[in-house]
């Protein structure tokens, strides 16, 4: 056991439970209750990582979520590798395997550290300035090198085998943070009758009190912490969530919480979810998120062994670990003296206390002097030494003008503690769009007003002492309960802000003039120095948001928790402005990184997106159909037989329809039942066509425009009764057409008596198409006459098929004699199979969407969304005949009268035949008027649909071409890989232009 | 995610709604009498307000009804929701927190 730096007693660790772990393969041990960071420090390990840009050796800086240096990768197995975890938050478990990051070949000897020698050549904005030329070098030199050099840690090579879950919750009061303020707030709110959720990122409740030797003492009374925790854990109205980070504050008091369920376990049950993401909607929110200690910026402030003063105190009091044996404290506030005093009491040597303030006369400073600790006031730090661990610190006393007052002094040490005061954690408050205001005495931004129902309590609003924070929390909790509508008794008044405990002005510690100082780091994780920031300001960056992006300060995974304010101070000084004039960069979620797994939750694999299938789907699966996704629908694309290629299958399926009979599942078509006394008026206003004259039992091809005159949807509309229309829409348009109908009905034409019902999933639609279609159906249909006289093209009749009630449409999207059988969805599969059986003597073949596309293109029928793109009018598409010109109004009518909509130069739908009949043009290909045209040139149109037509023995295409109808017979050109391909402009109807087949 | 008070159903999460653009833009009663300019204004011109904005919502995954809302675009706080056909309520000076 080599816990060389473990104290003999004390702390909140369980000394009877030894936990073994490895760091970079080295076997070490700690105690139950340790974090990885505390266990490493107990073993004397300070060097834990290499910095991002210069690969400088780095140690543990903090003891919490703000940690910028000690990022490690934890590996459980090949699929469970998590990079960039903060060692200060990783709970130790038996067998934990941690690795340092961003070093090669090893942490002690890192080749990338050569960047540190090159650092004069890697200033701020280096990436923007250097990798500019030659452009081609990006591909083979710069980008691969930068990618190899960048990035912290490695992603696992296998898919994540763990499960993640989501939960929605509501409460009266959500309290974020379980330090003295948060605990008191939760308690007061619950006692007032509120349903409370208390969330805390640490495994234990207590917050800063956990780092006190005697938490009760800190509060001025004993046992408060234990009593309060006990009360909350057993309270029926309180839900306590530990290991749970509130990572985001969203509008209307919705907070995102990430609860880590198994990360701390040595052998997690693989059936247990790894994380749970909560979305909590709270009537009232109390933010008790505490404060983060601010580092000091001085030359050489990044060596392992240099850490925040409060962190060293946490390691000592909470984990029983001495972070070093010979410490120097550098401070600008009284509070940090506690760290020196505690280390002194625990047996460490405090070699010096460097106080940058002119005087240090507070109670704690006096206590330090009484304890014999040497206090140097009006003194600054001008450098440090030590490669893999700090060895000494150089200090310099300054006079009132900032000039050296005595010779510089070197103090040997193995630990440097620093404290520039505390920065209230206003991240969540700011995410709620709360305003912040600058407090000069505390040198910090404090929360002001939030538009949300939120209030802050304790250190996050500048109330730093534990006792005051507790009273502040108690007041905030009761007020939150009151504002949530609960009857509350007397509310204690909140403590006043004490502005006595000074803090260093953010920025760099004063340095004697003319001295070329070593690097003074501001952002440890992104390796941004004070010099980088000054340079950015000198180069003319004025907005702090621009400085941030240029220097990358605050842009690492820690989001600048320890660095933003110091960066702001340096930039403000360089610009000669006050900090609040320069302003603050925006706080964004997440507070600490959140896994993708927790966002995905259950939405993985089969649950990623809903899948819609038709009643005939299973039959198609049995027939080995190849499916395609159309929106959420699975549609059979083609039915290959005996290993046919798609081309062979589609050719065969098209032939079957043209020569015998094909069977097509059209169930995905959108269907809307439009019913009511004003149904025909409604249809007249909505669709371009005239509907008054449509007789019951007849169908019409309808076009729906937006009010801007462009085609929105199309489909067959049948009049079932005087007051009832059966409207079909495109598969993809069903929902938006219904929404548009509802919109007009509910908001514009509220006087119309019309009801709309989606019947898409209530009808199975079986299209039977081809010259033999009538013969196939004859034996199956009852109560309906299939003859051309009784049921001509574009008509509909009720009836029964196989005993099932149906609506039988005589319609065709193929150009052949065709029927579309609509039966209740539950009978779809049985009727389909009956038709398939009845069609066997006629060589019936099921066909998929691919053959359907070819067949309709041969007839020049458009598909909305493929041959139109939201800028196509009915006339452009050759559908002017479908416009009821005598109607006074319909959606889009007025827009169609604009001059631009009537221009003869608009793009119009035409057919194209390529000069080489076996070449199928590419859909989307541009069309040029000139064979010799080379880029740059202006195309006059594009190909919208293109197929090989087996029926015609050649390729065909539909296209939108400027003034296309005037160009019939002309030769145009389509750019292809081997030159511009000549194409002839023809009618878009390639097959049976007179329509005699469908009227058969 | 906003919390939206449907006038028919009460408070529901934003997931259940779709936004319907600016409210109180009536389709001209007789489009044929509109000039091209007036028609273009009706079709395309919308306010982009910093402050209280009247907008349409539809409770599409609930009752299916359209309604109107007053929302402060600077704070995302709703001042009121009200049914189609109703006048917007008199605006309080400031969104309530
Ligand atoms: Zn509703």
């Amino acid at each position: 056991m080599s816990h060389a730096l473990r104290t003999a007693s004390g702390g909140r660790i369980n000394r009877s439970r030894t936990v073994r772990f490895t760091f970079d393969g080295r076997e070490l041990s700690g105690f139950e209750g340790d974090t990885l960071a505390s266990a490493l420090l107990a073993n004397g390990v300070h060097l834990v990582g290499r910095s991002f840009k210069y690969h400088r050796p780095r140690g543990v800086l903090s003891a919490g979520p703000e940690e910028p240096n000690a990022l490690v990768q934890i590996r459980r197995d090949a699929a469970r590798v998590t990079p960039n975890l903060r060692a200060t938050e990783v709970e130790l478990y038996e067998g934990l395997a941690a690795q340092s990051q961003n070093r090669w070949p090893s942490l002690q000897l890192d080749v990338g550290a050569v960047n540190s020698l090159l650092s004069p050549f890697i200033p701020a904005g280096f990436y923007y300035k250097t990798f500019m030329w030659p452009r081609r070098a990006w591909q083979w030199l710069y980008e691969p090198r930068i990618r190899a050099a960048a990035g912290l840690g490695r992603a696992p090579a296998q898919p994540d085998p763990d499960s993640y879950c989501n939960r929605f919750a509501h409460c009266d009061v959500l309290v974020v943070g379980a330090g003295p303020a948060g605990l008191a707030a939760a308690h007061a709110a619950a006692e007032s009758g509120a349903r409370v959720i208390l969330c805390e990122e640490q495994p234990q409740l207590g917050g800063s009190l956990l780092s006190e030797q005697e938490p009760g003492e800190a509060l001025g009374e004993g046992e408060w912490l234990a009593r309060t925790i006990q009360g909350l854990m057993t309270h029926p109205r309180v839900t306590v969530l530990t290991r749970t980070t509130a990572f985001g504050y969203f509008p209307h008091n919705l907070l995102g919480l990430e609860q880590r369920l198994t990360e701390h376990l040595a052998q997690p049950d693989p059936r247990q979810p790894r994380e749970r993401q909560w979305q909590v909607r709270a009537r009232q929110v109390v933010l008790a998120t505490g404060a983060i200690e601010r580092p000091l910026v001085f030359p050489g402030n990044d060596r392992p062994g240099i850490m925040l003063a409060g962190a060293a105190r946490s390691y000592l009091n909470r984990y029983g670990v001495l972070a070093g044996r010979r410490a120097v404290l550098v401070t600008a506030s009284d509070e940090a003296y506690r760290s020196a005093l505690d280390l002194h009491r625990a047996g460490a040597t405090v070699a010096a206390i460097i106080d940058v303030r002119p005087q240090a006369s507070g109670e704690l400073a006096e206590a330090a002097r009484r304890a014999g600790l040497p206090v140097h006031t009006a003194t600054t730090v001008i450098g440090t030494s030590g490669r893999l661990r700090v060895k000494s610190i150089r200090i310099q006393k300054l006079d009132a003008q900032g000039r050296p007052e005595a010779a510089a002094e070197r103090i040997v040490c193995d630990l440097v503690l620093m404290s520039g005061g505390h920065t209230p954690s206003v991240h969540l408050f700011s995410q709620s769009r709360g305003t912040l205001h600058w407090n000069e005495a505390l040198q910090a931004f404090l929360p002001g007003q939030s538009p949300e129902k939120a209030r802050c309590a304790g250190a996050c609003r500048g109330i730093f002492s534990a006792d005051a924070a507790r009273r502040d929390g108690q007041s905030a909790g009761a007020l939150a309960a009151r504002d949530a509508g609960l009857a509350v008794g007397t509310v204690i008044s909140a403590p006043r802000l004490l502005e006595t405990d000074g803090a260093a002005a953010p920025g760099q510690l004063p340095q004697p003039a003319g001295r070329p100082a070593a690097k003074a780091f501001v952002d440890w994780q992104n390796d941004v120095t004070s010099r980088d920031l000054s340079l950015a300001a000198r180069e003319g960056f004025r907005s702090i948001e621009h400085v941030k992006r240029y220097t990358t300060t605050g842009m690492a995974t820690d989001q600048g928790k320890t660095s933003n304010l110091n960066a702001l101070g340096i930039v403000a000084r360089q610009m000669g402005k006050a900090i609040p004039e320069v302003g603050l960069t925006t706080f964004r979620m997440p507070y600490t990184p959140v896994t993708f797994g927790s966002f995905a939750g259950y939405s993985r694999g089969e649950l990623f997106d809903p899948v819609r299938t038709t009643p005939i789907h299973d039959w198609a699966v049995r027939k080995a159909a190849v499916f395609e996704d159309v929106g959420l629908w699975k549609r059979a694309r083609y039915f290959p037989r005996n290993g046919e290629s798609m081309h062979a299958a589609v050719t065969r399926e098209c032939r079957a329809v043209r020569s015998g009979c094909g069977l097509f599942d059209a169930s995905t078509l959108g269907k809307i039942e439009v019913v009511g006394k004003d149904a025909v008026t409604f249809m007249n206003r909505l669709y371009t066509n005239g509907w008054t004259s449509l007789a019951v039992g007849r169908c019409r091809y309808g076009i729906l425009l937006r009010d801007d005159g462009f085609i929105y949807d199309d489909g067959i509309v049948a009049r079932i009764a005087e007051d009832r229309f059966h409207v079909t829409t495109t598969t993809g348009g069903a929902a938006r057409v219904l929404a548009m109908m509802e919109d007009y009905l509910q908001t514009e034409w509220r006087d119309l008596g019309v009801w709309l019902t989606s019947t898409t999933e209530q009808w199975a639609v079986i299209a039977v198409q081809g010259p033999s279609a009538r013969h196939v159906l004859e034996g199956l249909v009852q109560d309906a006459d299939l003859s051309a006289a009784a049921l001509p093209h574009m008509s509909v009749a009720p009836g029964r098929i196989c005993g099932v009630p149906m609506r039988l449409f005589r319609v065709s999207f193929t150009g052949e004699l065709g029927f579309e059988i609509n039966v209740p969805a539950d009978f779809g599969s049985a009727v389909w199979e009956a038709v398939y059986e009845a069609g066997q003597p006629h060589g019936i073949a099921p066909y998929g969407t691919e053959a359907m596309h070819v067949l309709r293109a041969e007839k020049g029928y458009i598909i909305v969304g493929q041959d139109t793109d939201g800028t196509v009018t009915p006339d452009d598409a050759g559908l002017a005949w479908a416009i009821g010109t005598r109607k006074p109004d319909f959606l889009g009518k007025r827009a169609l009268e604009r001059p631009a909509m009537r221009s003869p130069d608009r793009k119009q739908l035409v057919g194209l035949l390529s000069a080489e009949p076996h070449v199928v043009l590419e859909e989307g290909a541009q069309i040029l008027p000139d064979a010799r045209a080379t880029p740059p040139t202006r195309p006059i149109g594009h190909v919208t649909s293109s197929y090989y037509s087996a029926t015609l023995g050649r390729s065909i295409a539909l296209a939108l071409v400027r003034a296309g109808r005037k160009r019939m017979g002309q030769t145009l050109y389509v750019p292809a890989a081997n030159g511009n391909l000549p194409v002839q402009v023809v009618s878009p109807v390639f097959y049976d232009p007179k329509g005699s087949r469908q009227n058969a | 995610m906003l919390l939206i008070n449907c006038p028919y159903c009460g408070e529901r999460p934003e997931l259940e709604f779709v936004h319907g653009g600016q409210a109180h833009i009536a389709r001209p009663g007789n489009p044929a009498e509109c000039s091209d300019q007036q028609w273009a204004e009706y079709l395309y011109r919308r306010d982009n307000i910093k402050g209280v904005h009247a907008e349409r919502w539809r409770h599409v995954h609930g009752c299916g009804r359209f309604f109107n809302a007053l929302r402060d675009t600077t704070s995302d706080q709703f001042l009121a929701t009200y049914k189609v056909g109703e006048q917007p309520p008199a605006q309080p000076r400031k969104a309530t927190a």
Side-chain angles (χ1 to χ4, degrees), chain A residues 12 375 530 664 705 822:
Chain A
R12 293 164 181 277
V375 177
S530 59
F664 179 69
L705 308 182
N822 284 243

Side-chain angles (χ1 to χ4, degrees), chain A residues 377-417:
Chain A
T377 54
T379 302
T380 190
V381 180
I382 58 173
T384 64
S385 76
R387 194 171 77 84
L388 301 179
R389 173 86 187 258
V390 66
K391 281 188 180 134
S392 73
I393 182 167
R394 281 169 63 79
I395 62 169
Q396 172 74 62
K397 194 163 179 67
L398 300 174
D399 66 15
Q401 279 69 47
R403 289 172 305 220
E405 205 177 71
E409 198 181 326
R410 181 169 174 274
I411 301 172
V412 172
C413 58
D414 65 355
L415 179 67
V416 174
L417 310 180

